[in-house]
Amino acid sequence: MNERVDAYQDRLHFAATERNRDAIAAVLSKALPSDGRVLELASGSGEHAVAFQKLFPKLIWHTSDIDPMHLRSINAWIHFEQLEQTMPPPLKIDVNARPWQLPDGLTDHLCGVICINMIHISPWNCCESLVQEAAQLLGNSAPLILYGPYKRNGLHTSESNARFDDYLRTQDPSWGVRELEDVERLGVNSGLLLNEVIEMPANNLSLIFTPRQS
């Protein structure tokens, strides 16, 4: 019992998760099939993942991250929500270490890849690797779903996003709010089509890519 209590202490709480969880879930309910396996890149605290696993019980949610503290938090949330029999342990994935090392059961039944709030807090080559590798893995109509802030036509969609972009670039010059058109072009060059752009609360967007049919 003490082990479980200690594991609970590893749970991280990200305030943004509670704010955007329901809105993202509404997008997922329309974009994802009813069953299969989903790979989430850069799962962070794991709070989104356990919430979505509970909301979509016929899906199997595979989490991943590169940060050891995040991996511990994901495990702790899985245990806290008593989802050990449903959710696999998180995968340690560096998006730039390609090809990603994924279990066969995931790659054989992959029905979607999702990434929430990563590409603006990582260098552009992480976005390139994310989109290119997802395009290699996804089949038929399985979507790649990206969520976060974006510029459109070279302009920020809000003053708050402009301030956020400035803040990010002071943290790391390689970070920053990305141009929607650059991400779309990257998808097209990787064999994906941007099927839908969904406006989300707090001036964020959800991008739904699917493989281009040959």
Side-chain angles (χ1 to χ4, degrees), residues 35-116:
D35 55 33
R37 293 175 183 262
V38 176
L39 173 62
E40 181 184 2
L41 280 305
S43 300
S45 67
E47 294 169 278
H48 276 131
V50 294
F52 298 151
Q53 182 64 82
K54 292 166 71 175
L55 281 171
F56 309 113
K58 291 185 179 180
L59 293 171
I60 298 177
W61 208 270
H62 290 259
T63 54
S64 69
D65 210 284
I66 188 61
D67 188 321
M69 185 167 61
H70 290 173
L71 294 170
R72 289 194 298 271
S73 179
I74 295 166
N75 264 321
W77 276 109
I78 291 172
H79 292 310
F80 180 78
E81 297 290 352
Q82 299 182 13
L83 292 168
E84 299 99 320
Q85 301 305 310
T86 305
M87 292 183 70
L91 301 166
K92 186 175 183 179
I93 294 179
D94 175 350
V95 293
N96 284 326
R98 301 168 56 193
W100 300 335
Q101 299 302 303
L102 305 177
D104 292 340
L106 171 54
T107 54
D108 292 344
H109 301 281
L110 185 64
C111 69
V113 173
I114 181 171
C115 188
I116 299 169

Side-chain angles (χ1 to χ4, degrees), residues 51-202:
F52 298 151
Q53 182 64 82
K54 292 166 71 175
L55 281 171
F56 309 113
K58 291 185 179 180
L59 293 171
I60 298 177
W61 208 270
H62 290 259
T63 54
S64 69
D65 210 284
I66 188 61
D67 188 321
M69 185 167 61
H70 290 173
L71 294 170
R72 289 194 298 271
S73 179
I74 295 166
N75 264 321
W77 276 109
I78 291 172
H79 292 310
F80 180 78
E81 297 290 352
Q82 299 182 13
L83 292 168
E84 299 99 320
Q85 301 305 310
T86 305
M87 292 183 70
L91 301 166
K92 186 175 183 179
I93 294 179
D94 175 350
V95 293
N96 284 326
R98 301 168 56 193
W100 300 335
Q101 299 302 303
L102 305 177
D104 292 340
L106 171 54
T107 54
D108 292 344
H109 301 281
L110 185 64
C111 69
V113 173
I114 181 171
C115 188
I116 299 169
N117 284 334
M118 183 199 85
I119 67 174
H120 56 281
I121 55 171
S122 57
W124 175 247
N125 64 353
C126 291
C127 182
E128 293 176 323
S129 294
L130 166 66
V131 173
Q132 292 167 357
E133 187 72 4
Q136 292 293 316
L137 292 168
L138 293 169
N140 299 321
S141 59
L144 166 64
I145 304 169
L146 305 179
Y147 170 91
Y150 296 89
K151 293 181 184 177
R152 303 190 80 167
N153 300 312
L155 300 174
H156 287 290
T157 60
S158 70
E159 188 60 37
S160 62
N161 277 8
R163 291 194 299 270
F164 183 46
D165 188 32
D166 289 341
Y167 167 76
L168 291 173
R169 294 177 190 278
T170 63
Q171 302 303 301
D172 189 320
S174 69
W175 294 3
V177 175
R178 305 304 177 186
E179 301 272 1
L180 173 60
E181 292 75 18
D182 288 345
V183 180
E184 180 178 12
R185 189 177 306 112
L186 174 59
V188 169
N189 291 340
S190 304
L192 300 174
L193 291 178
L194 180 56
N195 284 340
E196 196 169 4
V197 177
I198 303 171
E199 293 191 5
M200 306 291 286

